[in-house]
């Protein structure tokens, strides 16, 4: 109903940084109003190599045709990516490397890379229409759309090579390149690459739902 803009930031040593933004237009004389905003978080957790980034966002667009008829569109979403410490750590390794040690990451071409990622993106939208035909007759109608995808990165092959306690992705790539079978019959293309030593990939789940609800 009112016009405003808000921006804020916070910082925490353990859970990272957060940036928040929201803007509202207020209700204009022509009956239109809109608002949008979101929050973005990023940083690192206690364990080594467990970075995270993500946030949420929203948008609202509304039109009031009169006191009896209103139309509104709402959109929400949230997204996140974070690296995990998923390998069980025996006491001897904790004593040797320290309590923050995490073996599930390493470097590829000098850039930090994790072998245990988790990620998702969820979206939700609602189109809402309200009509008051009379004191005894009204219509409330909503159309919902809900969709999302998410998954994780896992090592699907042999154990990845280790260098100084961390994954050596450069060595894994080099070993795979040298192991690829380049000689195969034209009628058996599926045989190509079966000799690769290391496999790292993502599994992804998706869903989408459309629902209509009307109350007259």
């Amino acid at each position: 109903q009112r016009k405003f803009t808000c921006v804020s930031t916070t910082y925490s040593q353990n859970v990272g940084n957060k940036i928040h933004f929201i803007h509202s237009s207020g209700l204009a004389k022509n009956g239109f109003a809109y608002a949008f905003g979101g929050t973005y978080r990023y940083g690192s957790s206690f364990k080594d190599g467990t970075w995270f980034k993500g946030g949420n966002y929203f948008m609202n667009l509304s039109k009031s045709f009169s006191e009896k008829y209103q139309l509104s569109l709402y959109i929400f979403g949230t997204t996140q990516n974070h690296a995990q410490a998923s390998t069980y750590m025996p006491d001897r390794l904790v004593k040797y490397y320290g309590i923050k040690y995490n073996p599930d990451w390493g470097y590829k071409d000098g850039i930090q890379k994790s072998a245990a990622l988790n990620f998702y993106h969820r979206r939700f939208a609602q189109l809402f229409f309200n009509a008051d035909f009379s004191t005894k007759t009204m219509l409330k109608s909503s159309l919902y759309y809900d969709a999302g995808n998410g998954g994780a990165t896992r090592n699907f092959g042999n154990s990845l090579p280790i260098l100084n306690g961390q994954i050596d992705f450069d060595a894994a790539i080099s070993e795979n390149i040298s192991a690829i079978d380049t000689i195969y019959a034209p009628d058996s293309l599926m045989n190509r690459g079966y000799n690769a030593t290391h496999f790292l990939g993502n599994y992804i789940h998706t869903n989408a739902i459309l629902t209509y609800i009307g109350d007259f």
Side-chain angles (χ1 to χ4, degrees), residues 28-41:
K29 293 182 179 180
N30 59 7
F32 273 104
Y34 68 86
F36 60 89
T39 299
Y40 179 68
R41 295 185 62 186

Side-chain angles (χ1 to χ4, degrees), residues 101-178:
Y101 174 62
N102 171 25
D104 295 319
W105 67 279
Y107 291 96
K108 177 182 176 293
D109 297 328
I111 300 175
Q112 188 179 110
K113 180 178 177 62
S114 176
L117 295 177
N118 185 274
F119 52 88
Y120 68 84
H121 185 190
R122 182 78 179 270
R123 286 92 64 193
F124 176 82
Q126 177 191 19
L127 184 63
F128 178 77
F129 178 69
N130 181 62
D132 295 328
F133 300 109
S134 67
T135 56
K136 296 182 179 180
T137 306
M138 65 182 63
L139 172 66
K140 295 183 183 296
S141 182
S142 296
L143 183 66
Y144 298 92
Y145 176 73
D146 188 358
N149 61 274
T153 298
R154 288 290 182 268
N155 177 21
F156 294 102
N158 298 331
S159 298
L160 297 172
I162 302 297
L163 177 64
N164 298 325
Q166 303 302 146
I167 298 173
D168 189 346
F169 287 101
D170 294 325
I173 294 172
S174 177
E175 291 179 21
N176 275 359
I177 291 175
S178 62

